[in-house]
Amino acid sequence: MSVPRRAAALAWLALVAVLGAGAAHAQEGNWNSIAAKARGQTVNFNAWAGDEKTNAFIAWVGSEVAQRYGVTVNHVKLKDTAEAVTRVVAEKAAGRDRGGTVDLVWINGANFVTLKEQGLLFGPFAARLPNYRYVDTTSVRSNVVDFTLPVDGMEAPWRRAQIVFVYDAKRVTAPPRSVPALLAWAQRHPGRTTHPAVRNFLGATFLKQALYELAPDPAMLQRPATDANFAAVTAPLWTWYDALRPSLWRRGEQFPENGPAQRQLMNDGEIDLMVSFNPAEAAVAQAAGQLPDTARTTVFDRGTIGNTSFVAIPYNAANKEGAMVVADFLLEPATQAHAQDLRQMGNFTVLDLARLSPSDRKRFDDLPRHPALPTNAELGVALLEPHPSWMTRIAAEWERRYTR
Amino acid sequence: MNGLELAAVRIALHGRPLLGPLDVRVRPGTTVTVMGPSGCGKSTLLAFIAGTLEPAFTAAGAVRIDGDDVLALPPERRHVGILFQDDLLFPHLSVGDNLAFALPRTLAGRAQRRAAVAQALAEADLAGFEGRDPATLSGGQRARVALMRTLLAAPRVLLLDEPFNRLDAALREDFRRFVFDHARERSLPVLLVTHDAADAAAAAGPLIEL
Amino acid sequence: MSESGGALRALPAVTVLLFLLPVAAGVAGTLLPAFGYLPAIGGHALSLEPWRRLIAYPGFATSLGTTLFTGVAATLVAVVLAAGFCAVAHGRLARTAGAWMAPVLATPHAAIALGVAFLVAPSGWIARALSPWLTGWTLPPDFATVGHRSGLALVLALVLKEVPYLVLMIAGALHQVPAAAQLNVARSLGYGRTEAWLKVVLPQVYPQIRLPVYAVLAFSLSVVDVALILGPGNPPTLAVLAMRWFADADIRFYFPAAAAACLMLLIVITAIATWRGVEAGVARLGRRWIARGTRRGVASLAAAAATALAVAGGAASVLAIAGMLLWSFATQWRFPAALPDGWTFATWARQSGSLAATTATTLMLALAATVIALALAAGCLENEARTRRRAGTRSLWLLYLPLLVPQIAFLFGAQVLLIRTAQDGTFAATLWAHLVFVVPYVFLSLADPWRAVDPRYARTAASLGASPWRVFLRVKLPLLRGPLLVAAAVGFAVSVGQYLATLFAGNGRVATLTTDAVALAAGADRRVIGVYAVLQALLPLAVYLAAVLLPRRRLAQRTSAVGRA
């Protein structure tokens, strides 16, 4: 291109950029226009459907949002969040940059990394949500850092999770409170504990949790895993796991597919101790008859991994405004309190209670209590999620070692 | 008492009487012919004797072969040979295998069985036809193989259900003689069902009209 | 010939184009990525890298072995049991069995699998019924049944579904063979009924059921939903592995996934070819066995044992669904209680909201697919009758092709095609995907009865001045009311049971009872699973019952017109 032509091209680009920015500014200040555009839209909310309580909550969200904003929510039931990622990727591959089938996806971790790094997300949009101001961005680091990757507003938080261990108090008198203690307990009670398949995020997190306590230098986990450091850092993990495996349920040959499958095992009496990402799992499940009444919750003394679940909007979503409205509704204090209610999901909130109005704070104070529900103090330290590369490598290494 | 004996045989279809009461004695080596119009129950009578009566029919009476009451026995133990209009050679077996199928289990050893089959084929003037596919044989040839198959099973009685119908006039004559010669040779009591008077005449035995 | 004759003549070609061409396109769409070519995600050059990754994957050899074992074993056992059952069953036993078979035939594979999962688990119903009074267990024992490495639980569920299907196919094939007369001949030669059936009828019937057996083989090797529920997980069968990789967050897994899908196709082709070769060997040995002249031997005993097993299998299927039914109404049901602790409607009530939409979608898909398939099948058959040209074996193979190609081998490619034409996720696309499988089954179910209609009825009507269209509507259709209803029931059941087709073509926007049930299978509350499984089974069953009971009164009079049975 000749110099004058290039200058002209640049000038055009600059003009478009300025106009675009101006347009964005105008839109930014106008949540009402977003809400107005959202009215009548149907949001395809791709969310993992393996838990009945969560499905029911999403259905409740759908009915509320329909009533208040005229937005219809279609819960696209996934076996695995990766299904939605695959869909967005396939649509990009086929050149569909508008009118995508995925409007809103419940996501975090490696899946989020894939979409963000491939430029497949719409945003940043989180800060534009009116209810985002209540989010705890200071003491709950996982709300702004997703598996060591800065969120940058490309996804909005909606629930928190932390690793706990659920056990049947009728059969387990002294639950283990550290990783080596877990091994000792398993060896005394062979076949009475297990973990989900390592492909599943909970199974992989079980291993990551063990790694935190066994690794020589846990700070390494916040940095990417490399060929150089992986073997050295994870060596103690495999030693521990090789000792553990024969004492696992089904002698470590077979694993439940996911958390709820594992919970069903405990309900069937096949295991007495299991890992969970939901501190309220024992309490909520008992009410629904999905766990025995004697189930209780415990954590490890040196802390357990905690993370935040987000919702993100793909770049080609057909109903972005509706998706934003739903994401905003999820952050509403009333919704968060409803979600934390034992009778619904029992998920701990992502909001900073100090930032709420007294009446909103009261909603949380009034929530029912339960013997199997740990208090915030009992939950202890929430360890940050390691860099996603650790999870992928650990999962791959586990398959290499134990899939024959 | 040798031969086939039917005593007070009565057959009904859905409760309505079809044929009977019937008393027949067939001496060994002789042929009794049963004649009648279509639908009068001739084939049903044969089915009754062979033991393959359809459930819609009810039958009463006694059937004795060489003095033994056969009604108590299942069809496979009655040793009643039956020849139909259709040769019913098994299409998935060769001519030789069809014949071998009828050989009693007691004749053991491949060589012995093959020899028996070869002899039967020779008797039927079809030497060397062991490996042939039944579909490649002519109607007359198939009929002869069908008879030899029935005879190889060493039956005590031979029932003929209009077996000559499908054959044209010349073949009919030959095949009739073939059947009756073999039956006489083996002293078999034969019960022939037909609507053709010429068949009855060739049978040269007692005639029963239904 | 009128215009309708012309349109009718085009129908077979249209049917073939509509369904077989996209299958071919789908296979091509999966074949290219298998060799590394998918520009959209960075695959620009053909290479063997995907195959290298596939083979190097930990557990690949085991996965391959499990796939082969479960696929072949399930088919072999199903064929043996079906043949043994048909050899022994006659008269009242056959009629009772036939009546009970319909429910099992109508139930989708996934529903049976869910029921079996609860039935045979160490903490499952059988164990609960026997504990602790017989076994002494107060806690479930720690051995594997569901998910066992050998895949035996998978084989069991497959056999439970395939035996009734093969028995039905054999029963249909019996019409082509003068079985009754030949059995009488064989019995008069001294053979017991069972032995006679096995030596005389089976060899003639087998060529007629060859294609259904191959379809069973292809399905058993490449099934995904049943393998997800009952098969081993670490490593799983090849088809499940391919599914996992297709859905993996790391898109570079597409390529080995496509390679696995192509390997699946290769395996099916090889398996069918090998089976065909073995058939010849078995035939040779069989002829020698027949020539030995055993009147009542081991074969009869084996057939009796097979019948007992087949009946036990039928009972197991019924128990499997019954267990799901109990769970759907249960409050709590802990090991080792033999029955739930309490009863409630709450689970049904809680699920009714989400179930309503899913059930409606399932129903609409099934009804639409059935109606279209019936119209196409009837049209093709009518065209065949009018042009008096009998469709040969080749067209039969063409019809069976979608059932012989593993679904996973062409559905991925088809999905990419649908996305490109912006048709994915639509009701129409899912309907089309269902039709690919419904049309063959409906056609096969309708073909024999249709062709067996005495042509003199049509000729008589024509001679009385009726146009071909009038003959079709007022003479043929009423005569074939029974078979049409049965074919409709078959088509309905096939559509309700589709898993991969809905998943790929629907792209998540179209959810049916089956896709949701499999999604819930791994871990949802068993009460909820029970509700889904029961509904999955109930819908086709209702249609089946209607198809069987409605024309019963008139059918007896019609039988003579539709040809000798």
Side-chain angles (χ1 to χ4, degrees), chain A residues 52, chain C residues 325-331 342-353 355 527 531:
Chain A
E52 203 211 324
Chain C
L325 189 66
L326 288 182
W327 264 110
S328 71
F329 288 108
T331 50
W343 309 94
T344 174
F345 277 107
T347 319
W348 282 93
R350 254 201 319 266
Q351 295 304 315
S352 58
L355 270 179
R527 295 170 296 184
V531 168

Side-chain angles (χ1 to χ4, degrees), chain A residues 24 27-28 31 34 122-132 324 328:
Chain A
Q27 222 177 4
E28 219 160 342
W31 175 255
I34 294 180
F122 163 74
F125 73 93
R128 293 157 71 175
L129 305 176
N131 286 321
Y132 190 74
M324 286 173 67
D328 181 60

Side-chain angles (χ1 to χ4, degrees), chain A residues 289-304:
Chain A
Q290 290 168 334
L291 275 181
D293 293 334
T294 44
R296 296 289 179 265
T297 314
T298 185
V299 290
F300 284 170
D301 291 327
R302 285 167 65 176
T304 53

Side-chain angles (χ1 to χ4, degrees), chain C residues 96-428:
Chain C
T96 333
W100 280 102
M101 255 180 0
V104 180
L105 273 170
T107 313
H109 279 89
I112 293 274
L114 290 171
V116 167
F118 175 61
L119 198 62
V120 303
S123 63
W125 207 1
I126 294 180
R128 287 177 200 216
L130 297 176
S131 302
W133 56 275
L134 188 65
T135 58
W137 297 327
T138 45
L139 285 175
D142 188 20
F143 61 80
T145 51
V146 172
H148 189 265
R149 287 183 70 81
S150 63
L152 278 176
L154 172 57
V155 172
L156 174 65
L158 287 173
V159 167
L160 287 186
K161 273 286 291 181
E162 307 305 356
V163 167
Y165 171 67
L166 286 177
V167 167
L168 190 71
M169 293 290 111
I170 292 178
L174 280 176
H175 289 191
Q176 324 272 34
V177 172
Q182 289 181 343
L183 277 177
N184 283 345
V185 169
R187 292 187 91 180
S188 75
L189 293 172
Y191 286 81
R193 196 194 175 277
T194 310
E195 198 88 16
W197 198 96
L198 289 172
K199 290 185 169 169
V200 170
V201 180
L202 182 60
Q204 296 180 62
V205 151
Y206 184 81
Q208 319 264 356
I209 62 165
R210 184 175 271 137
L211 279 177
V213 171
Y214 292 165
V216 166
L217 183 60
F219 181 80
S220 307
L221 283 167
S222 62
V223 68
V224 171
D225 47 0
V226 182
L228 276 172
I229 297 171
L230 292 171
N234 196 35
T237 58
L238 207 59
V240 173
L241 202 58
M243 270 299 289
R244 275 194 205 162
W245 287 345
F246 273 132
D248 201 297
D250 184 354
I251 48 169
R252 286 168 304 152
F253 270 111
Y254 264 29
F255 298 105
C262 283
L263 182 60
M264 209 64 253
L265 180 60
L266 212 69
I267 288 176
V268 167
I269 294 176
T270 314
I272 293 180
T274 313
W275 189 283
R276 186 62 181 262
V278 169
E279 277 175 17
V282 168
R284 227 193 332 265
L285 286 172
R287 267 194 291 273
R288 240 185 270 166
W289 168 61
I290 294 175
R292 245 182 275 142
T294 322
R295 277 0 191 220
R296 184 168 249 150
V298 174
S300 299
L301 290 170
T307 307
L309 283 175
V311 171
S317 301
V318 173
L319 280 177
I321 299 298
M324 291 289 101
L325 189 66
L326 288 182
W327 264 110
S328 71
F329 288 108
T331 50
Q332 293 250 47
W333 194 355
R334 294 250 152 70
F335 189 94
L339 285 176
D341 297 340
W343 309 94
T344 174
F345 277 107
T347 319
W348 282 93
R350 254 201 319 266
Q351 295 304 315
S352 58
S354 53
L355 270 179
T358 319
T359 311
T361 312
T362 312
L363 265 176
M364 283 196 298
L365 274 174
L367 280 172
T370 307
V371 167
I372 296 177
L374 274 177
L376 284 173
C380 287
L381 284 166
E382 180 66 6
N383 176 57
E384 184 189 281
R386 285 199 205 164
T387 59
R388 237 143 283 164
R389 209 182 356 200
R390 178 64 190 260
T393 337
R394 184 177 310 162
S395 60
L396 201 61
W397 272 86
L398 274 179
L399 199 66
Y400 255 99
L401 211 60
L403 308 180
L404 295 175
V405 175
Q407 287 193 340
I408 201 158
F410 73 88
L411 282 174
F412 173 66
Q415 183 190 37
V416 173
L417 189 75
L418 285 172
I419 293 179
R420 260 188 215 286
T421 54
Q423 282 308 305
D424 67 303
T426 57
F427 184 84

Side-chain angles (χ1 to χ4, degrees), chain B residues 68-150:
Chain B
D68 301 325
D69 174 23
V70 296
L71 287 181
L73 296 171
E76 53 264 21
R77 285 225 277 264
R78 295 190 184 188
H79 294 286
V80 170
I82 183 160
L83 209 56
F84 295 100
Q85 257 189 72
D86 301 320
D87 49 79
L88 287 173
L89 292 181
F90 303 134
H92 63 290
L93 298 175
S94 66
V95 168
D97 283 336
N98 262 285
L99 291 172
F101 189 83
L103 286 173
R105 185 76 184 89
T106 45
L107 186 64
R110 275 172 78 178
Q112 281 202 306
R113 292 175 76 86
R114 277 213 216 128
V117 166
Q119 187 182 3
L121 282 173
E123 276 183 41
D125 219 8
L126 295 168
F129 272 60
E130 282 94 335
R132 293 279 291 270
D133 179 351
T136 62
L137 269 57
S138 72
Q141 290 172 324
R142 282 211 299 275
R144 292 208 294 277
V145 175
L147 176 68
M148 292 321 296
R149 181 176 68 177
T150 312

